[in-house]
Amino acid sequence: MTEPGTLTHGAGGALYISVDAEAYRIEAEDAKNLLFYGRVIPITLERSRTTPGGILTSEIAIEGHAAMNASGRAVMLHTRVGSYIIPLISFQRVARGEAISAPLFPLLPEVGL
């Protein structure tokens, strides 16, 4: 079984989230705000399209957010395609460039018994 998503380190310290066919982005400054101040940060997606006149346009849209979980030991990523969790140490290693990538794990909703 392969992991449903991957967090990777990119140019300029940006972080990329690959889930299914989507490629989301966390800016380096936003990652710092999450790690150092515990702030909720945006997850963005760049969309490109060609207008009827043949002009290529691009826009960046906020498609989700990332936040620390209640224990402070993991980062939760909520996107349009689902919610994922990654251990804080793995997120930090990728953000610092010590690791090229780390797997994301699906965050399942709690089911009452």
Side-chain angles (χ1 to χ4, degrees):
M1 181 174 165
T2 61
E3 67 270 1
T6 306
L7 179 73
T8 57
H9 184 82
L15 300 175
Y16 294 95
I17 301 164
S18 300
V19 178
D20 294 331
E22 302 287 339
Y24 300 102
R25 180 181 171 114
I26 296 175
E27 298 297 330
E29 190 63 31
D30 290 331
K32 288 178 188 174
N33 283 328
L34 173 70
L35 293 172
F36 294 117
Y37 304 113
R39 294 184 179 138
V40 176
I41 60 169
I43 296 174
T44 59
L45 176 69
E46 184 174 354
R47 294 186 182 162
S48 299
R49 65 181 180 92
T50 305
T51 63
I55 299 171
L56 182 64
T57 62
S58 170
E59 64 181 22
I60 296 175
I62 295 174
E63 293 287 333
H65 67 277
M68 293 285 211
N69 73 341
S71 71
R73 293 177 149 179
V75 175
M76 298 179 300
L77 307 164
H78 302 281
T79 67
R80 202 170 34 89
V81 294
S83 296
Y84 302 89
I85 193 165
I86 181 171
L88 178 60
I89 190 69
S90 297
F91 188 93
Q92 289 171 328
R93 291 188 69 220
V94 172
R96 288 190 301 249
E98 294 173 3
I100 295 172
S101 66
L104 301 177
F105 301 98
L107 185 61
L108 304 173
E110 292 185 27
V111 179
L113 298 176

